[in-house]
């Protein structure tokens, strides 16, 4: 049987099963089990791809190559670790009366459906289905963000829906234009919306239509990436939803949206033969770095702070892919991976810290190291990782991005450095008293799940020190696909 | 294809643009739903004509789906929503309708200019309609920005989607069926979610005025 079927079947079946029994005490274990099933299927698929090369499935409607398989593995992995983190976290939320039985069912069911939408968006070859999957992912996460039904969470979910709805509508316009361009040139009988067909004839796509299409696609998917000035939904959605959802939003959804942008950029580059797409991405990327970094200074809510840090990091990645070239693309992919791992680890630690203090305000969270050293160290290490301290992986990727920026676009390097320095000052000065200050909070009733935190940080550390050869090969193949 | 059908498609395109302006200036919520249904009907008519002229079978299905969804089902859902929320007689205060119309005209000129080079390349039956579709998207966008109530915002969102379907039909003879089905499903689920949200928003904020939703801010 095709492992791709399993990759889809596990989360889809999971969402159905959990819609019925998600409120039962072992519902959270079932959620972990289905996420683990998805991870196993994804690993199985990965092994197949590594051994046999790119794979077409179901009449070429699905296409898996080195670029998306690594994101599939990452998505399935973080989906699994987040489900492990969800177990104690959501249990405590339920004990505190924030979640009712029906909300637990909704939460677990939508969690699985969200994984399904992400995996569908990643593996589909059809640009139309990519759009449908991204929109469906918005719908599931809107329900997840609003799951507490508090005024603040409703406000966040409404903003999220309207802003991303409008944004993603622009992406649909771009997809229509893309379809229009490809209809003219693609041989009859071939499906003009399949990315592989588009890629094969990208050099004869009409440049005028493609440049307009890319603007719409970048604005549309860029809204979901969280690029400034379209980022307003992101901090609210991260801060008001459950923390596991903040982790998957930052770790997965933003990456998948950026993946969509990269696929579109490959086509546009082929059609235009200039760096039009790249320049746009450089502009949006740098703006996001600055907006993200300077907004960090004004934060008092810990989850809002780290969501602005996500905006900054997505800006760095968009900048790297916009700049293009083998080193920058390699660094961009590495940054995608380590940022997803480190940021979700930070959110896991933040989730437990905020639950202990019963507040997300940073002034209320103090002295974690005394109450529970593991959470404290997890938060501290995670913060250092996310700030790009050596030897964590983000240091390596940021270093590569900065050095290639100095070669290719010297004027941009000071802007990047400024953004990184401001982010460092803002985040470190706030996390330090949270971890080492005086405290009087009590330990949690259920032991927190810290395995995911240290597993992620360990991987981020490993990627900073040493990239295994097969992973390196994998990245290099993906870099070759991105080109530019 | 006949001269008549091209004229008809252009006619429907202009009706769509007119309805977008009408929506922009409409104060009563219930009338917005009526205009939305009319928009749907216009898109259905245009789609059927394109289907008839080009013999694209899947466009007939698309027209039937649009008819069922956007002329009957979604307006019905919106009507029930209005009834249950008891906002049938709600009148929104819109500031300065004439200047909004002027901005709208500027948007139309902008989108015509933007789509001019592409329309020239178009092989479709009616090259001019892409500009109109783009203008309708921007006008709906503008409507969403200027409205402060929840339901008009949602209708603006839906009318944007109508304009996109029209763009797909007139510029490319419609997206492949599986994509259109997916889009329709997303929109339908979205309307239901937003409908549920409206009840919760009113419960929590005791109003459907979105300007109350401004508590999440930086210090």
């Amino acid at each position: 049987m095709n492992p791709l079927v399993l990759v889809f079947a596990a989360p889809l079946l999971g969402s159905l099963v959990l819609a019925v029994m998600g409120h039962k005490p072992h519902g959270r274990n079932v959620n972990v089990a289905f996420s683990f099933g998805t991870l196993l299927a994804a690993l199985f698929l990965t092994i197949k791809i590594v051994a046999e090369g790119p794979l077409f499935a179901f009449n070429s409607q699905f296409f898996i190559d080195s670029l998306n398989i690594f994101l599939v593995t990452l998505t399935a992995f973080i989906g699994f670790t987040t489900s492990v983190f969800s177990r104690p976290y959501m249990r405590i939320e339920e004990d505190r009366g924030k979640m009712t039985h029906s909300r637990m069912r909704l939460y677990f069911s939508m969690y699985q459906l969200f994984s399904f939408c992400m995996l569908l968006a990643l593996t589909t070859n059809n640009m139309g289905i990519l759009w449908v999957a991204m929109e469906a992912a918005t719908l599931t996460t809107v329900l997840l963000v609003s799951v507490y039904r508090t005024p603040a969470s409703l406000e966040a979910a409404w903003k999220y829906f309207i802003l991303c709805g409008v944004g993603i509508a622009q992406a649909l316009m771009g997809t229509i234009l893309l379809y229009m361009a490809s209809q003219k040139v693609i041989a009859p009988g071939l499906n003009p919306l399949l990315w592989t067909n588009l890629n094969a004839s990208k050099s004869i796509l009409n440049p005028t239509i493609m440049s307009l299409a890319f603007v719409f696609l970048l604005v549309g998917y860029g809204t979901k990436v969280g690029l400034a000035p379209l980022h307003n939904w992101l901090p609210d959605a991260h801060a008001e939803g459950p923390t596991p959802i903040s982790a998957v939003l930052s770790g997965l959804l933003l990456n998948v949206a950026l993946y969509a942008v990269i696929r579109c950029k490959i086509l546009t580059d082929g059609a235009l033969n200039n760096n039009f797409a790249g320049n746009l991405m450089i502009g949006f990327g740098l703006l996001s770095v600055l907006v993200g970094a300077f907004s960090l200074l004004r934060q008092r809510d810990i989850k809002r702070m780290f969501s602005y840090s996500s905006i900054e990091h997505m800006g760095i990645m968009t900048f790297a892919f916009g700049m293009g070239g083998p080193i920058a693309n390699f660094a961009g992919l590495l940054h995608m991976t380590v940022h997803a791992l480190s940021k979700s680890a930070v959110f896991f630690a933040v989730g437990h810290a905020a639950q202990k203090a019963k507040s997300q305000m940073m002034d209320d969270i103090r002295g974690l190291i005394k109450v529970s050293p593991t959470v404290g160290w997890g938060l501290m290490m995670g913060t250092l990782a996310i700030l790009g301290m050596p030897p964590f992986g983000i240091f390596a990727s940021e270093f590569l991005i900065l050095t290639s920026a100095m070669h290719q676009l010297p004027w941009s390097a000071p802007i990047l450095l400024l953004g990184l320095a401001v982010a460092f000052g803002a985040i470190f000065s706030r996390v330090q008293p949270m971890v080492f200050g005086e405290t009087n909070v009590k330990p949690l009733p259920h032991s927190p799940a810290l395995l995911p935190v240290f597993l992620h940080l360990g991987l981020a550390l490993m990627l900073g020190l040493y990239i295994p050869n097969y992973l390196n090969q994998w990245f290099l193949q993906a870099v070759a696909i991105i080109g530019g | 294809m006949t001269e008549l059908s091209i004229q008809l498609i252009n006619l429907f395109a202009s009706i769509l643009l007119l309805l977008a302006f009408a929506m922009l200036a409409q104060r009563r919520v219930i009338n917005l739903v009526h205009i939305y249904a009319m928009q749907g009907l216009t898109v259905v008519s245009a789609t059927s004509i394109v289907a008839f002229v080009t013999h694209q079978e899947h466009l007939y299905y698309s027209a039937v789906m649009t008819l069922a969804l956007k002329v009957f089902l979604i307006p019905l859902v919106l009507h029930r929503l209005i009834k249950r929320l008891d906002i049938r007689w709600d009148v929104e205060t819109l500031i300065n309708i004439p200047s909004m119309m002027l901005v709208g005209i500027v948007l139309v000129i902008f989108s015509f200019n933007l789509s001019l080079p592409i329309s020239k390349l178009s092989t479709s039956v009616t090259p001019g309609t892409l500009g109109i579709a783009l203008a309708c998207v921007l006008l709906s966008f503008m409507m969403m920005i200027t409205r402060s109530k929840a339901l008009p915002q949602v209708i603006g969102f839906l009318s944007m989607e109508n304009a996109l379907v029209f763009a797909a039909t007139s510029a490319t003879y419609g997206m492949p069926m599986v994509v259109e089905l997916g889009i329709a499903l997303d929109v339908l689920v979205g309307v239901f979610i937003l409908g549920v949200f409206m009840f919760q928003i009113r419960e929590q904020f005791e109003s459907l005025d979105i300007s109350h939703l401004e508590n999440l801010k930086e210090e």
Side-chain angles (χ1 to χ4, degrees):
Chain A
M1 194 157 81
N2 195 330
L4 190 62
V5 180
L6 288 174
V7 171
F8 291 139
L12 208 53
L13 192 68
S15 93
L16 289 176
V17 170
L18 285 160
V20 179
M21 51 77 67
H23 63 288
K24 301 246 173 72
H26 54 277
R28 44 183 167 266
N29 299 331
V30 175
N31 188 40
V32 174
F34 275 110
S35 298
F36 188 63
T38 314
L39 176 62
L40 281 184
L43 288 176
F44 191 38
L45 182 69
T46 311
I47 292 166
K48 197 175 151 81
I49 300 292
V50 170
E52 298 168 21
L55 171 95
F56 284 97
F58 305 111
N59 203 9
S60 303
Q61 286 293 326
F62 294 92
F63 171 63
I64 298 145
D65 59 7
S66 308
L67 176 56
N68 54 13
I69 188 67
F70 103 87
L71 283 169
V72 168
T73 321
L74 190 67
T75 302
F77 176 71
I78 296 181
F80 166 64
T81 47
T82 309
S83 72
V84 173
F85 165 68
S86 278
R87 269 183 72 224
Y89 186 86
M90 293 318 279
R91 189 170 172 192
I92 295 167
E93 297 292 274
E94 200 179 8
D95 289 351
R96 289 184 181 170
K98 284 172 105 176
M99 297 290 282
T100 60
H101 278 184
S102 60
R103 287 181 201 170
M104 286 305 266
R105 280 205 301 271
L106 180 75
Y107 172 83
F108 285 124
S109 175
M110 285 301 130
Y111 183 85
Q112 291 293 331
L113 204 58
F114 169 69
S115 306
F116 170 75
C117 293
M118 295 283 87
L119 292 165
L120 180 64
L122 285 172
T123 51
T124 185
N125 191 13
N126 188 321
M127 298 302 281
I129 299 295
L130 173 65
W131 185 88
V132 171
M134 288 299 295
E135 172 75 5
T138 313
L139 294 175
T140 55
T141 39
V142 160
L143 287 172
L144 285 168
V145 167
S146 69
V147 78
Y148 291 144
R149 304 277 189 264
T150 57
S153 70
L154 279 173
E155 178 183 339
W158 184 271
K159 247 194 209 173
Y160 177 33
F161 191 110
I162 294 292
L163 268 168
C164 280
V166 170
I168 210 111
Q170 311 306 314
L172 181 58
M173 190 75 197
T175 311
I176 292 169
L177 290 168
L178 190 67
Y179 187 50
M180 190 175 159
S182 79
Q183 258 187 345
K184 287 184 207 308
V185 295
I186 287 211
L190 289 176
N191 186 339
L193 260 183
L194 293 190
W195 187 84
T196 40
N197 292 348
L198 282 159
N199 193 36
S201 48
K202 60 184 173 185
S203 56
I204 48 170
L205 290 172
N206 183 290
T208 323
I209 304 182
M210 281 307 289
S211 47
L212 189 61
F214 184 75
V215 173
F216 276 104
L217 289 164
L218 178 64
V219 169
Y221 292 131
T223 310
K224 295 228 78 167
V225 178
L227 295 179
L230 312 155
H231 64 283
N232 281 329
W233 63 273
L234 195 144
D236 297 347
H238 276 68
E240 301 308 328
T243 309
I245 300 312
S246 318
V248 285
L249 280 178
S250 259
L252 303 180
L253 183 75
L254 306 187
N255 269 1
V256 175
L258 185 60
Y259 161 81
V261 173
I262 295 170
R263 285 278 189 210
C264 299
K265 177 184 185 269
I266 298 173
L267 299 176
T268 316
D269 280 347
L272 265 63
N273 280 322
N274 60 21
N275 207 18
F276 169 76
N279 289 339
L280 275 177
M281 286 171 76
I282 288 171
F284 273 109
L286 284 178
L287 186 66
S288 309
V289 171
L290 288 181
V291 169
F294 281 97
S295 305
L296 282 169
L297 293 169
R298 294 183 298 158
Q299 304 309 318
R300 294 182 59 213
D301 180 313
I302 186 165
K303 279 163 78 179
R304 279 187 90 83
M305 182 176 80
F306 281 112
S307 63
Y308 273 105
S309 148
S310 290
I311 294 174
E312 182 221 336
H313 281 286
M314 293 320 284
I316 295 177
M317 287 172 224
T318 311
F319 171 80
F321 288 119
M323 201 162 51
I327 300 174
N329 283 335
F330 182 92
L333 290 173
L334 184 63
H335 201 97
M336 261 173 128
T337 317
V338 280
H339 172 255
L341 290 169
S342 320
K343 187 51 73 60
S344 38
V346 166
F347 272 117
F348 298 158
V350 162
H352 284 311
Q355 264 185 338
K356 268 189 219 305
K358 295 191 178 150
S359 165
Q360 283 175 213
M361 288 298 139
M362 288 187 270
D363 294 340
D364 299 334
I365 305 172
R366 283 291 176 265
L368 288 170
I369 208 96
K370 296 207 176 95
V371 201
S372 57
T374 39
V375 174
W377 280 116
L379 183 60
M380 200 59 196
M381 304 292 265
T383 306
L384 289 176
I386 211 73
L387 289 172
M389 283 291 101
F392 287 104
I394 289 188
F395 173 76
S397 56
E398 281 180 350
F399 182 76
L400 285 174
I401 291 171
L402 267 173
T403 45
S404 47
M406 280 170 192
H407 277 292
Q408 290 169 266
L409 301 164
W411 56 269
S412 67
I415 303 178
L416 280 178
L417 277 173
L418 175 71
L420 292 176
V422 170
F424 185 89
I427 295 182
F428 193 77
S429 65
R430 281 176 176 75
V431 171
Q432 198 270 339
M434 279 193 275
V435 175
F436 296 109
E438 287 301 319
T439 184
N440 49 9
V441 295
K442 292 181 179 59
L444 286 172
H446 305 291
S447 64
L450 286 160
L451 184 68
V453 180
F454 291 103
L455 190 60
H456 282 199
L457 289 176
L459 283 171
L461 185 66
M462 183 197 83
L463 288 173
L465 295 170
Y466 156 77
I467 300 175
N469 192 36
Y470 62 89
L471 199 62
N472 195 28
Q473 290 302 321
W474 205 355
F475 279 152
L476 289 176
Q477 282 167 17
V479 166
I481 294 167
I482 300 172
Chain B
M1 77 191 64
T2 59
E3 194 62 27
L4 177 70
S5 49
I6 295 179
Q7 292 298 329
L8 274 176
I9 293 169
N10 280 331
L11 175 71
F12 286 125
S14 36
I15 291 176
L16 202 66
L17 189 61
L18 219 59
L19 286 173
F21 271 106
M23 216 177 236
L24 204 57
Q26 183 53 250
R27 295 162 195 244
R28 289 231 345 246
V29 177
I30 194 88
N31 288 350
L32 282 175
V33 181
H34 294 154
I35 297 176
Y36 173 70
M38 279 191 260
Q39 265 190 350
L41 202 60
T42 316
V43 173
V44 171
S45 318
T47 313
S48 328
I49 291 174
V50 175
F52 180 71
V53 174
T54 60
H55 308 291
Q56 301 266 340
E57 203 179 316
H58 77 272
L59 276 180
Y60 285 115
Y61 299 128
S62 158
V64 171
M65 197 169 68
T66 313
L67 186 74
L69 213 62
K70 285 167 198 161
V71 183
F72 294 111
L73 189 58
I74 293 182
L76 197 73
V77 170
L78 291 174
H79 270 294
R80 294 199 55 173
L81 207 59
I82 288 173
K83 203 172 164 191
R84 285 187 55 194
L85 288 166
D86 201 22
I87 50 171
R88 192 179 166 81
W89 305 109
D90 261 26
V91 177
E92 231 183 322
T93 41
L94 291 176
I95 36 155
N96 218 344
I97 293 182
S99 62
M100 255 164 60
M101 292 286 133
L102 280 176
V103 177
I105 291 170
V106 173
L107 285 180
V108 174
I109 296 169
F110 170 73
S111 21
F112 270 61
N113 267 318
L114 198 65
S115 59
L116 201 62
I118 292 175
S119 309
K120 279 184 193 148
L121 302 162
S122 176
T123 49
S124 110
V125 275
T126 47
T129 46
L130 188 68
I132 293 188
L134 197 57
C136 290
V137 170
L138 292 179
L139 286 172
S140 319
F141 188 34
M142 187 175 147
M143 176 184 160
M144 289 179 76
I145 297 172
T146 51
R147 298 302 174 117
S148 63
K149 293 266 167 68
L151 200 62
Q153 272 197 351
V154 173
I155 294 175
F157 175 69
L158 289 169
S159 116
M160 185 183 279
E161 201 266 340
N162 260 346
L164 286 167
V165 171
F166 182 73
T169 315
S170 58
T172 64
Y173 304 147
M175 305 288 261
M177 205 57 209
V178 54
V179 178
E180 285 209 3
L181 277 174
I183 295 171
L185 183 71
D186 278 347
V187 169
L188 193 62
V189 174
V191 169
F192 278 108
I193 294 178
L194 286 171
V196 174
F197 269 21
M198 272 184 237
F199 285 101
Q200 287 164 354
I201 287 176
R202 201 175 56 172
E203 202 177 293
Q204 297 283 357
F205 293 89
E206 289 169 355
S207 158
L208 272 174
D209 203 328
I210 298 301
S211 53
H212 291 294
L213 299 182
E214 278 185 358
N215 300 318
L216 296 179
K217 268 194 202 136
E218 270 52 81
E219 297 303 311

